[in-house]
């Protein structure tokens, strides 16, 4: 089960467009939330401060005007006096309490308030100018005010009388107003976020348009259209990016054109030289064959020179033939002339024609495997691999043939060529099929043209196959050729 499409959908779900929208909405949410919070705080403080200042000022004035007339001994007269003060409460009615020693009285039913805290009582005894406190009791907000009665004994000295008056005022209306402010701030922020989504979409679209154009242009260039350019709009950073892309694309197109021209010239040169050398080489080979036959009748030095010329001429002939063969692949002129063959018998003919005996080349070739192959090209594949193993590895070389199912479930023909040498160095494996690559810098010129494995790779590809090189666990190199084999093409 592939997770590629799911990963792609997740990546697109959290792509740049989504992240830009989320960032825009986050900024809008933070701005709206901060504005709403600051507005709420200021409005709340204003509402509570107004009610608090009115109540504290009013209570202080009433106490200072009438407080010394209070009958502190308690009784009905004290309670009536407290009720008179309570009726004058602003901005809401008060419940007034009096404490003098053990005397407790109030304008209400209970002589003692459960809302007045010990902290407020301590503050009243410590501050002759009075104190106040906001208290929440059973979910109801209250303002409690403490005002001690003092005697003025001098311009700047006050003497507490021991009598303290307390006013307790419900702030339910203020709390309702504060809750309304909170609701208004919340209800205003949510539509603001919805409204902010539209400019966010517009901004994301304007930002992502150049990115999409750049992505499409990159894909177009990747498909071979090197003349692709993108329009430059404006003068911002994205416009600079588009301008830089166009400049780079133009330079790349120019460089690739020069490389292609140089490659085409090199291929034409190799092809032309190969054709021009083929005719004189044929004559040279004919002469060297005659000289080889007469070498035994010549003196020793002349015989060695004749044999050296003959060997080098043969190498030159192989190089020319390989150059012509690789030129056909470069020019895409190579054709596959497939025919149904017995694969094992084809491999045996290849080994027999090169005089590779069983002592040097061992085989594991099950009979009955038939496939549609180009006999000449498959012969070159096997010959190049076995010859390479004999030259650079060590005998005995093993050629093994088998069929098996590929990862896609299709049958494939597998041919393995293994030698008994030291194997291929790890740093040489990625380049083993490169043209003229020498895995061993000290290798002599007897190693061949340097094109054998490159030609082998092209012939395998022409069969829609693959070839890979590696090393055996116990030592020795192994080359594995896989060619698609359909069921109707296989024999019994």
């Amino acid at each position: 089960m592939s997770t590629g499409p799911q990963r792609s959908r997740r990546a697109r779900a959290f792509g740049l467009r989504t992240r830009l929208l989320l960032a825009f909405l986050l900024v809008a949410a933070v701005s709206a939330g901060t504005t709403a919070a600051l507005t709420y705080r200021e409005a709340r403080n204003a509402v509570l401060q107004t009610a608090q200042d009115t109540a504290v000022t009013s209570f202080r004035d009433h106490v200072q005007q009438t407080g010394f007339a209070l009958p502190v001994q308690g009784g009905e007269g004290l309670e009536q006096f407290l009720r008179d003060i309570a009726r004058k409460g602003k901005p809401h009615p008060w419940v007034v309490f009096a404490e003098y020693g053990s005397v407790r009285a109030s304008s209400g039913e209970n002589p003692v308030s459960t809302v007045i805290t010990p902290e407020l009582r301590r503050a009243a005894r410590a501050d002759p100018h009075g104190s106040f406190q906001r208290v929440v009791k059973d979910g109801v907000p209250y303002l409690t005010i403490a005002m001690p009665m003092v005697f003025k004994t001098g311009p700047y000295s006050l003497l507490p009388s021991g009598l303290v008056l307390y006013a307790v005022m419900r702030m339910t209306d203020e709390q309702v107003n504060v809750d309304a402010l909170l609701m208004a701030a919340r209800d205003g922020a949510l539509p603001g976020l919805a409204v902010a989504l539209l400019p966010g979409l517009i901004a994301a679209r304007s930002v992502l348009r150049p990115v999409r154009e750049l992505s499409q242009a990159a894909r177009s260039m990747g498909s071979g259209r090197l003349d692709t350019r993108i329009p430059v709009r404006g003068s911002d950073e994205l416009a600079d990016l588009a301008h830089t892309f166009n400049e780079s694309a133009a330079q790349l197109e120019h460089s690739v054109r020069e490389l292609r021209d140089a490659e085409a010239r090199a291929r034409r040169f190799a092809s032309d030289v190969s054709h021009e050398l083929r005719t004189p080489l044929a004559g040279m080979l004919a002469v060297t064959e005659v000289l080889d036959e007469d070498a035994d009748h010549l003196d020793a030095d002349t015989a060695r020179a004749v044999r050296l010329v003959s060997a080098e001429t043969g190498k030159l002939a192989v190089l020319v033939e390989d150059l012509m063969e690789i030129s056909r692949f470069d020019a895409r002129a190579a054709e596959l002339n497939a025919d149904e063959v017995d694969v094992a018998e084809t491999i045996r003919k290849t080994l027999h024609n090169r005089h590779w005996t069983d002592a040097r080349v061992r085989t594991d070739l099950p009979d009955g495997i038939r496939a549609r192959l180009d006999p000449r090209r498959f012969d070159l594949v096997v010959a190049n691999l076995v010859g390479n193993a004999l030259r650079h590895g060590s005998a005995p070389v093993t050629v093994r043939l088998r069929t098996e199912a590929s990862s896609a479930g299709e049958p494939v023909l597998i041919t393995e060529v293994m030698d008994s040498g030291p194997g291929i160095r790890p740093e040489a494996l990625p380049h083993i099929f490169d043209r003229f690559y020498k895995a061993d810098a000290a290798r002599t010129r007897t190693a061949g043209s340097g094109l054998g494995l490159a030609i082998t790779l092209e012939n395998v590809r022409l069969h829609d196959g693959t070839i890979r090189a590696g090393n055996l666990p116990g030592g020795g190199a192994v080359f594995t050729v896989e060619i698609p084999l359909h069921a109707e093409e296989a024999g019994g």
Side-chain angles (χ1 to χ4, degrees):
M1 179 178 179
S2 175
T3 60
Q6 296 177 356
R7 187 181 298 110
S8 177
R9 285 193 294 270
R10 287 196 298 269
R12 186 170 294 277
F14 293 97
L16 183 57
R17 180 188 181 90
T18 303
R19 294 199 298 271
L20 283 174
L21 285 176
L22 290 177
F24 192 88
L25 290 177
L26 179 61
V27 172
V30 171
S31 301
T34 303
T35 302
L38 293 175
T39 303
Y40 166 74
R41 187 186 68 178
E42 295 300 323
R44 175 180 178 274
N45 290 340
V47 170
L48 296 179
Q49 191 72 35
T50 300
Q52 175 181 291
D53 292 347
T54 300
V56 171
T57 301
S58 178
F59 186 61
R60 180 183 290 116
D61 292 343
H62 286 303
V63 170
Q64 290 176 354
Q65 292 172 8
T66 61
F68 288 106
L70 285 171
V72 297
Q73 72 276 11
E76 194 64 34
L78 177 59
E79 293 177 354
Q80 182 60 42
F81 204 91
L82 295 177
R83 282 194 287 270
D84 291 340
I85 296 177
R87 281 194 293 269
K88 301 175 182 178
K90 294 179 181 180
H92 307 299
W94 301 329
V95 178
V96 183
F97 297 85
E99 294 183 0
Y100 182 74
S102 61
V103 177
R104 301 289 186 271
S106 75
S107 63
E109 297 179 356
N110 298 321
V112 179
S113 172
T114 59
V115 178
I116 300 173
T117 64
E119 290 81 8
L120 183 62
R121 288 189 172 91
R122 287 194 295 269
R125 290 192 294 269
D127 188 354
H129 299 286
S131 184
F132 64 89
Q133 185 181 32
R134 288 202 293 263
V135 180
V136 177
K137 179 74 172 179
D138 298 330
V140 180
Y142 295 91
L143 175 66
T144 57
I145 309 169
M147 192 63 62
M149 299 301 300
V150 295
F151 297 105
K152 189 173 183 181
T153 59
Y156 301 103
S157 60
L158 300 174
L159 178 65
S161 66
L163 174 63
V164 182
L165 297 182
Y166 297 93
V168 177
M169 182 183 73
R170 282 176 174 261
M171 301 187 73
T172 308
D173 293 346
E174 285 74 14
Q175 186 62 43
V176 170
N177 292 335
V178 169
D179 292 342
L181 287 173
L182 181 62
M183 293 284 291
R186 184 194 64 190
D187 294 343
L190 293 179
L193 289 179
V195 172
L197 182 62
L198 180 60
L201 288 171
I202 296 174
R205 179 183 178 86
S206 63
V207 170
L208 291 179
R209 183 188 298 112
V211 177
R212 287 194 297 268
E213 291 176 349
L214 182 62
S215 176
Q216 293 171 357
R219 283 196 296 268
S220 179
M221 291 190 65
S223 63
R225 297 180 57 186
L226 299 181
D227 58 343
T228 301
R229 303 293 185 270
I230 57 178
V232 179
R233 302 184 182 91
S235 58
D236 55 8
E237 291 81 357
L238 291 174
D240 292 341
L241 178 61
H243 184 69
T244 302
F245 176 86
N246 290 340
E247 287 184 343
S248 301
Q251 293 174 359
L252 179 62
E253 183 181 14
H254 178 70
S255 299
V256 170
R257 186 184 299 113
E258 288 186 342
L259 288 173
R260 287 175 176 172
D261 291 343
E263 184 180 9
R265 288 194 299 269
R267 288 174 177 172
R268 283 196 302 271
F269 175 77
S271 178
D272 293 343
V273 169
S274 300
H275 280 88
E276 293 297 327
L277 288 176
R278 198 173 190 183
T279 300
L281 270 176
M284 293 172 63
L285 287 174
V287 173
T288 54
E289 287 180 3
V290 174
L291 291 176
D292 278 341
E293 293 176 357
D294 295 337
D296 293 338
H297 305 291
L298 302 174
D299 59 86
D301 292 338
T302 304
R304 280 196 302 271
V306 167
R307 292 190 177 96
L308 177 61
V309 170
S310 178
E312 293 301 321
T313 303
K315 293 176 187 177
L316 182 59
V318 171
L319 175 60
V320 169
E321 289 298 327
D322 286 348
L323 283 172
M324 293 186 65
E325 183 71 12
I326 207 72
S327 297
R328 295 188 189 97
F329 285 109
D330 290 340
R332 291 175 172 77
E335 296 180 351
L336 190 70
N337 298 313
D339 193 9
E340 185 174 315
V341 298
D342 186 309
V343 183
E345 184 61 28
T346 301
I347 295 176
R348 292 190 188 99
K349 288 181 179 179
T350 298
L351 302 179
H352 177 75
N353 292 338
R354 271 78 175 178
H355 306 290
W356 288 327
T357 62
D358 294 341
R360 301 182 65 195
V361 181
R362 299 174 182 174
T363 59
D364 180 7
L365 307 173
D367 294 324
I369 299 178
R370 301 188 66 82
R372 289 192 61 81
L373 302 171
D374 186 321
R376 184 185 72 85
R377 297 190 180 279
F378 188 71
D379 172 80
L380 285 176
V381 169
V382 175
N384 282 342
L385 292 180
V386 174
N388 184 76
L390 291 172
R391 282 194 302 272
H392 308 306
S394 178
V397 173
T398 302
V399 181
R400 180 175 299 161
L401 180 67
R402 71 178 190 277
T403 59
E404 65 179 39
S406 66
S407 58
E410 296 292 334
V412 294
L413 176 70
I414 299 178
T415 307
E416 291 179 323
V417 178
M418 299 165 282
D419 63 46
S420 303
I424 305 171
R425 290 181 301 165
E427 63 270 20
L429 277 174
H431 311 285
I432 200 69
F433 295 104
D434 293 350
R435 299 178 185 184
F436 301 108
Y437 178 75
K438 303 292 185 180
D440 184 359
R443 185 183 301 171
T444 65
R445 291 183 299 116
T446 60
S449 69
L451 293 172
L453 291 180
I455 293 173
T456 301
L457 173 65
E458 296 295 344
N459 278 305
V460 172
R461 286 177 175 172
L462 203 59
H463 285 84
D464 294 326
T466 60
I467 183 172
R468 61 182 182 273
N471 291 313
L472 296 170
V478 56
F479 288 83
T480 305
V481 176
E482 295 185 3
I483 297 176
L485 177 67
H486 299 288
E488 62 270 16
E489 296 172 355

